[in-house]
């Protein structure tokens, strides 16, 4: 296989960064990276494109039980004594090397934290071949719990003033459901109330973007051409 072809390297780089390249195929791709500059460049380009999507992920505050579990693992002998801030009991450990201390805490955090939140699902919405969208691509990031969705056009879409882009959730059966208008440039955060509860539970098989009037489809279904579409791979 000729990995020097730009279109092939770009497609593999997109799948690798998005996480849709899995199993043996992913391991083989990683083994090929050191010897193929085109693949490394594709991975870097897609990383630069997709990383801004993480800026909208809200930070999460771990519950008190996490810190209590860390203390119990680090200082089991003190568990029955009077409560004391865990950082004050670190003095006897200061003589340890920094690497050893970091490894201990990291292991305790891994043991104490609840099951990790599922990673986000990345959907690449490719142009469907119509003349309106050119060669552009949209990327959608769905949080692992299905409660937030962000879209971004990798290049600005040139739209007429009387046209807008509307995002749709396409179920395995039945009519598409509107997720609202999205920007033709930059990122759009889809309001939580617009997302179906079954988005990541088999209720959506694909996402699509159609060309609509400024206020969106007047009928509740796509009225203009579908410019971009991508399958939701879980």
């Amino acid at each position: 296989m000729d990995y020097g072809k730009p279109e092939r390297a770009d497609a593999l780089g997109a799948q690798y960064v998005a996480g849709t390249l899995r199993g043996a195929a992913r391991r083989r791709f990683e083994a090929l990276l050191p010897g193929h500059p085109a693949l490394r460049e594709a991975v870097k380009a897609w990383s630069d494109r997709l990383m801004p999507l993480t800026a909208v992920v809200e930070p999460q505050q771990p519950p008190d039980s996490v810190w209590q579990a860390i203390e119990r693992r680090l200082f089991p002998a003190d568990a029955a004594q009077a409560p004391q801030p865990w950082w004050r009991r670190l003095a006897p450990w200061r003589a340890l090397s920094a690497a050893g201390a970091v490894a201990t805490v990291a292991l305790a955090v891994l043991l104490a934290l609840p099951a990790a939140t599922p990673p986000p699902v990345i959907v690449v919405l490719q142009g469907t071949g119509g003349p309106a969208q050119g060669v552009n691509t949209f990327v959608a990031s769905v949080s692992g719990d299905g409660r937030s969705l962000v879209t971004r056009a990798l290049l600005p879409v040139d739209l007429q003033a009387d046209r807008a882009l509307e995002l749709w959730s396409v179920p395995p059966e039945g009519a598409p459901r509107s997720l609202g208008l999205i920007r033709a440039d930059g990122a759009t955060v889809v309001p939580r109330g617009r997302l179906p509860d079954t988005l990541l539970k088999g209720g959506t098989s694909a996402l699509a973007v159609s060309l609509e009037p400024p206020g969106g489809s007047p009928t509740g279904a796509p009225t203009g051409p579908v410019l971009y579409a991508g399958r939701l791979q879980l």
Side-chain angles (χ1 to χ4, degrees):
M1 184 177 292
D2 186 1
Y3 297 103
K5 291 185 177 180
E7 62 275 10
R8 181 167 296 164
D10 185 69
L12 288 171
Q15 295 175 45
Y16 178 76
V17 175
T20 57
L21 192 66
R22 300 171 181 170
R26 187 176 186 86
R27 292 190 294 272
R28 184 169 186 272
F29 182 85
E30 291 173 340
L32 291 170
L33 280 176
H36 290 272
L39 294 181
R40 295 197 301 273
E41 291 174 5
V43 169
K44 182 181 184 304
W46 277 100
S47 296
D48 292 342
R49 293 173 183 174
L50 297 181
M51 281 302 102
L53 292 174
T54 63
V56 300
V57 179
E58 298 180 359
Q60 300 295 317
Q61 179 67 32
D64 293 340
S65 59
V66 171
W67 296 118
Q68 294 167 4
I70 292 175
E71 289 185 38
R72 287 195 297 271
R73 282 168 171 78
L74 289 177
F75 312 104
D78 296 339
Q81 298 179 6
Q84 191 178 37
W86 65 271
W87 58 86
R88 293 182 183 176
R89 302 199 292 269
L90 289 178
W93 297 76
R94 289 175 182 168
L96 295 176
S97 68
V102 170
T104 301
V105 174
L107 179 59
V109 170
L110 289 176
L111 292 174
L113 284 174
T117 301
V121 176
I122 305 298
V123 185
V124 179
L125 285 73
Q126 300 280 6
T128 57
Q133 85 278 1
V135 295
N136 200 2
T137 299
F138 270 81
V139 174
S141 175
V142 186
S143 64
D145 57 10
R147 295 182 179 180
S148 63
L149 188 156
V150 183
T151 66
R152 177 182 289 274
L154 299 186
L155 293 173
V157 179
D158 187 14
L159 287 181
Q160 298 178 0
D162 61 345
R163 288 292 180 267
L165 298 177
E166 190 162 359
L167 181 67
W168 301 87
S169 166
V170 183
E173 297 180 358
R177 170 175 173 172
S178 174
L179 301 182
L181 299 181
I182 60 174
R183 293 179 54 179
D185 58 345
T188 301
V189 179
V190 177
R192 180 178 298 186
R194 283 191 169 272
L195 300 177
D197 295 336
T198 58
L199 182 63
L200 296 182
K201 301 176 182 178
T204 299
S205 60
L207 298 175
V209 177
S210 67
L211 190 65
E212 301 294 342
S217 169
T219 66
T223 61
V226 174
L227 303 183
Y228 308 92
R231 293 192 62 81
L232 196 66
Q233 299 181 359
L234 302 178

